[in-house]
Amino acid sequence: MNMILIIEDEPQIRENLQEILEIEGFATITAEDGSQGVEMAKQHQPDLIICDLMMPRLDGYGVISILRQEPSTATIPFVFLTAKADRTDMRQVMELGAEDYLTKPFEPNELLRVISTQLEKRQRLTQQYKDQIQEMEDQINYLTHYDSSTELPNQFLLDEYFNQIRVQADNEEKFLPVLLIDIEIISRNKLFLDSSLRALLIKNVGKRLNQLNSQQQMIDLIAYLKTDQLALLLKPVKDSRVTSAVSQAILDSLSEPFIINNQEISVQSRIGIACYPNDAMQLGELLSHAEFTLEHYKEENQTFYHFYDQEMIDIVFRKVILESDFSQALEKNEFQLYYQPQINIKTKKIVGVEALICWQHPQYGMISPSEFIPMAEESGFIIPLGEWIIKKACSQIQNLHSEGFGMFNLAVNISAYQFKKANFSERINEIIHETEFNPQALELELTETLFIQDIELVKTKINELREYGIQLSIGDFGTGYSSFKYLQEFCFSHLKIDRYFITNIDKLENKQSIVRNIIQLASSLKIHIVAEGVETHEELNWLKQNNCSIIQGYFISPPLTIEDLKMFLLANN
């Protein structure tokens, strides 16, 4: 029922208007002057106001001026009643915001037509406002739940849907797989420098996955995350093999090229999988676990899918702890040097030792260099650590030389990061002088990866080191970027055959053929061969029979502390 406020100072007219309107089914409230009318309008918020123009205290001009300034009453339709027929007065009230006016006296039907017209107009405006508000709400809801660039659901919608569907999974005693897909473009061109075209690719990926789902009906929701990854919520399942099958189908589907703006684009996809409730109870945790899975297997340069397991988290946390502790380990004297003897099996004499480093971590115990050296290289800490190794080893072995344990070589592994440092050669020379170490007894072991870099820079540094009298060897030969021409070009003193080729060499003919060729080549170039990783008498005999005279490995001795090395030297001498 519409409510109409009547503001009229003449009691008879006010009562007549009230009677007419109530007969027609309107609810009415009345005010006998303008001031009272303003207060009632603010209090009751009527659907329409009928107001006399000429009143004592506060006239109609004043009433409409006040109400039009109030946000709550500014849009209420106004119809004025006046005995004045002056067009100037009428124009003034219309300018103040009145919708219509009636000149006294008027017929009831005339009044009802004006009221009906204004109420219908107000109803239309109200509906328009409602439609606009609904449209805005719909737009806000869309922007809240969807990514505008890809038109895919976002994480907010994914989270809402996950909370609904996990109830079903609980009731059916099934688990709920969450797939996190990382998409990498492997055929790049200038087009994909534009982020909008990247979004277009993701949009096409979403369409392809929806097409795949029309056949399998296993994907419940595909969402695009702010991390530029896709998250898929599968239907609840009881068998992980179903998840594996869906994941492989996704990888197979995405392996087909996309056509974007007439360009063929290929992508490499990787999927990390975490399952509710086995791996976590909340979506955020599941996505984090799936991300951990992707991170754990990122070194696999290929398409893959993997399930999350707790062991991966332990590995990641271990790496985080080691990285945080790494920079202080040198100050805390947690690094230890070990020396593995090298024996000439013809003369049965010790001809050298290789310096090896380990990290005695207070929480994890002994850490292998294969684990912490990559951290050192990534952080740049390999530079001070590498200098410490060389200086410490030169100092300790020089003491043995001085104490009469004989002359033998010291082999030290050098990282490519150290070697590339501008003053590397000069710093090595300074350490030799500081420790009074014989440079001819120092053997710097380089890796094959050095020779795929700036070859002229490598040649310059090697010549500088040789001028200082330092020997150079190439380590782990045969496992990296072997190029036999470098053996002659750089005049290495030693070549170390990687343990991979030595293990079971007495039994494997393919290894025997490779090692024979290496030995013959090194012999022709007058390069000493060192066989790493010798662990059995049979391996030693084969190497001896094939003219490999220097061996290193657990068959002779494990890596030793400097004190144990002294005992070993005494026993063998």
Side-chain angles (χ1 to χ4, degrees):
M1 180 182 293
N2 291 312
M3 177 187 291
I4 298 176
L5 170 61
I6 303 167
I7 307 173
E8 173 61 61
D9 61 331
E10 292 289 339
Q12 188 61 52
I13 297 175
R14 188 169 63 247
E15 292 173 5
N16 290 342
L17 289 172
Q18 187 173 16
E19 183 178 354
I20 292 169
L21 296 177
E22 289 181 350
I23 290 174
E24 293 299 323
F26 295 106
T28 61
I29 52 177
T30 61
E32 59 187 26
D33 60 47
S35 297
Q36 187 182 20
V38 168
E39 295 304 319
M40 296 189 73
K42 292 179 180 180
Q43 180 181 354
H44 296 285
Q45 298 289 305
D47 297 298
L48 185 140
I49 297 173
I50 298 174
C51 183
D52 188 17
L53 186 59
M54 304 306 297
M55 294 181 293
R57 295 177 60 189
L58 184 64
D59 59 15
Y61 298 115
V63 172
I64 193 170
S65 295
I66 293 172
L67 294 181
R68 284 294 182 256
Q69 293 176 14
E70 290 284 337
S72 61
T73 58
T75 60
I76 299 175
F78 246 87
V79 176
F80 275 112
L81 305 178
T82 180
K84 299 173 65 175
D86 191 333
R87 296 180 63 87
T88 302
D89 293 330
M90 296 305 102
R91 186 166 57 252
Q92 183 180 354
V93 297
M94 300 300 283
E95 288 174 354
L96 288 170
E99 276 66 31
D100 210 339
Y101 64 90
L102 289 171
T103 304
K104 301 175 184 177
F106 50 82
E107 294 294 328
N109 288 338
E110 189 178 1
L111 172 65
L112 294 174
R113 281 197 303 272
V114 170
I115 292 173
S116 178
T117 299
Q118 294 307 319
L119 290 177
E120 288 177 3
K121 182 180 178 181
R122 179 176 175 81
Q123 187 176 10
R124 287 195 301 272
L125 289 172
T126 301
Q127 188 59 47
Q128 287 179 7
Y129 292 147
K130 288 181 179 179
D131 292 344
Q132 289 175 0
I133 291 171
Q134 185 62 50
E135 184 178 346
M136 292 174 64
E137 288 178 350
D138 291 344
Q139 186 175 6
I140 291 171
N141 184 64
Y142 177 83
L143 293 175
T144 303
H145 293 87
Y146 289 83
D147 174 71
S148 57
S149 61
T150 63
E151 299 179 5
L152 291 170
N154 61 18
Q155 186 166 338
F156 190 81
L157 179 55
L158 179 67
D159 194 59
E160 283 188 352
Y161 191 75
F162 169 80
N163 289 329
Q164 297 171 15
I165 202 68
R166 69 176 180 175
V167 176
Q168 176 188 337
D170 289 338
N171 293 337
E172 296 175 357
E173 296 184 350
K174 295 180 179 179
F175 62 89
L176 196 57
V178 176
L179 278 58
L180 187 64
I181 306 180
D182 188 53
I183 297 170
E184 179 185 356
I185 300 169
I186 56 177
S187 56
R188 295 186 176 274
N189 55 56
K190 292 182 180 179
L191 282 175
F192 276 84
L193 297 176
D194 189 340
S195 60
S196 64
L197 290 170
R198 167 74 181 183
L200 185 58
L201 171 66
I202 297 296
K203 188 175 180 179
N204 278 268
V205 169
K207 288 180 179 178
R208 186 173 292 184
L209 293 178
N210 279 319
Q211 291 172 357
L212 175 67
N213 196 41
S214 65
Q215 305 166 13
Q216 295 195 346
Q217 295 294 312
M218 277 303 300
I219 303 173
D220 257 353
L221 190 69
I222 303 170
Y224 177 68
L225 308 183
K226 290 181 180 179
T227 56
D228 201 26
Q229 297 167 308
L230 289 176
L232 274 61
L233 191 60
L234 301 191
K235 293 183 182 297
V237 296
K238 283 193 173 182
D239 191 341
S240 62
R241 288 176 296 183
V242 175
T243 307
S244 297
V246 174
S247 299
Q248 188 59 56
I250 290 171
L251 295 177
D252 292 342
S253 176
L254 298 183
S255 67
E256 296 296 323
F258 292 84
I259 305 299
I260 309 292
N261 289 354
N262 298 319
Q263 296 287 329
E264 185 176 282
I265 306 298
S266 296
V267 302
Q268 188 173 67
S269 305
R270 303 178 180 91
I271 302 176
I273 307 167
C275 298
Y276 167 90
N278 301 25
D279 298 327
M281 300 297 289
Q282 302 298 324
L283 178 64
E285 289 183 82
L286 291 168
L287 290 173
S288 296
H289 291 341
E291 180 65 45
F292 267 121
T293 305
L294 289 173
E295 181 71 17
H296 184 74
Y297 291 101
K298 70 178 181 179
E299 298 303 325
E300 293 186 15
N301 189 25
Q302 60 183 3
T303 294
F304 67 70
Y305 71 86
H306 284 292
F307 287 85
Y308 163 83
D309 63 62
Q310 182 61 39
E311 183 181 348
M312 287 186 293
I313 290 289
D314 296 338
I315 291 172
V316 171
F317 282 154
R318 174 187 171 97
K319 183 179 180 183
V320 170
I321 291 172
L322 291 180
E323 287 176 344
S324 65
D325 293 346
F326 192 67
S327 60
Q328 298 179 354
L330 194 56
E331 297 176 7
K332 295 179 179 180
N333 295 317
E334 292 175 359
F335 291 111
Q336 298 178 9
L337 286 184
Y338 291 79
Y339 301 92
Q340 189 167 37
Q342 298 170 345
I343 305 294
N344 185 317
I345 52 179
K346 291 182 178 179
T347 64
K348 298 182 180 180
K349 292 188 177 294
I350 297 170
V351 294
V353 294
E354 179 180 2
L356 303 169
I357 185 170
C358 284
W359 178 11
Q360 185 65 43
H361 190 271
Q363 179 178 347
Y364 292 113
M366 194 65 75
I367 308 295
S368 165
S370 63
E371 185 173 1
F372 67 79
I373 290 297
M375 296 181 195
E377 292 177 335
E378 288 176 11
S379 65
F381 190 69
I382 190 66
I383 304 302
L385 179 63
E387 285 193 7
W388 179 87
I389 294 171
I390 297 172
K391 191 171 184 178
K392 184 79 170 179
C394 285
S395 177
Q396 290 185 334
I397 300 304
Q398 174 59 28
N399 288 338
L400 293 183
H401 290 167
S402 301
E403 291 171 13
F405 285 95
M407 286 297 297
F408 51 87
N409 285 349
L410 166 64
V412 181
N413 292 278
I414 300 298
S415 164
Y417 291 84
Q418 289 175 268
F419 191 83
K420 288 188 293 184
K421 190 170 173 60
N423 65 340
F424 173 74
S425 302
E426 292 83 353
R427 186 66 190 122
I428 296 297
N429 191 43
E430 290 172 2
I431 291 173
I432 288 173
H433 283 87
E434 289 171 10
T435 58
E436 300 180 350
F437 195 82
N438 181 357
Q440 294 180 346
L442 179 60
E443 174 192 324
L444 299 184
E445 185 176 320
L446 309 179
T447 61
E448 293 181 75
T449 53
L450 272 175
F451 304 106
I452 63 168
Q453 301 175 23
D454 186 342
I455 197 65
E456 291 303 318
L457 176 64
V458 172
K459 186 183 296 186
T460 300
K461 285 184 179 286
I462 286 178
N463 289 335
E464 290 173 354
L465 292 166
R466 288 180 61 82
E467 287 177 4
Y468 293 136
I470 297 167
Q471 299 186 67
L472 296 163
S473 66
I474 183 167
D476 302 331
F477 190 80
T479 61
Y481 301 86
S482 300
S483 181
F484 291 98
K485 71 173 185 177
Y486 296 138
L487 294 179
Q488 184 175 15
E489 187 172 350
F490 294 115
C491 299
F492 291 105
S493 59
H494 293 77
L495 184 154
K496 300 186 75 173
I497 303 175
D498 187 74
R499 69 182 64 244
Y500 168 79
F501 296 101
I502 303 303
T503 302
N504 294 323
I505 193 170
D506 54 301
K507 303 181 183 69
L508 301 175
E509 292 184 4
N510 58 337
K511 288 186 177 182
Q512 293 174 6
S513 177
I514 293 171
V515 172
R516 281 195 189 100
N517 287 331
I518 294 174
I519 292 172
Q520 290 172 6
L521 175 64
S523 177
S524 68
L525 296 173
K526 295 181 172 53
I527 298 175
H528 297 291
I529 286 285
V530 180
E532 291 184 299
V534 179
E535 296 188 359
T536 68
H537 193 270
E538 290 76 16
E539 292 168 357
L540 183 146
N541 282 339
W542 189 93
L543 291 165
K544 186 175 182 179
Q545 292 167 8
N546 286 274
N547 300 314
C548 177
S549 56
I550 303 175
I551 65 168
Q552 173 183 341
Y554 275 76
F555 183 75
I556 300 298
S557 171
L560 304 170
T561 64
I562 190 66
E563 292 78 11
D564 290 339
L565 178 61
K566 286 183 181 181
M567 300 300 294
F568 183 87
L569 292 170
L570 285 171
N572 280 274
N573 286 337

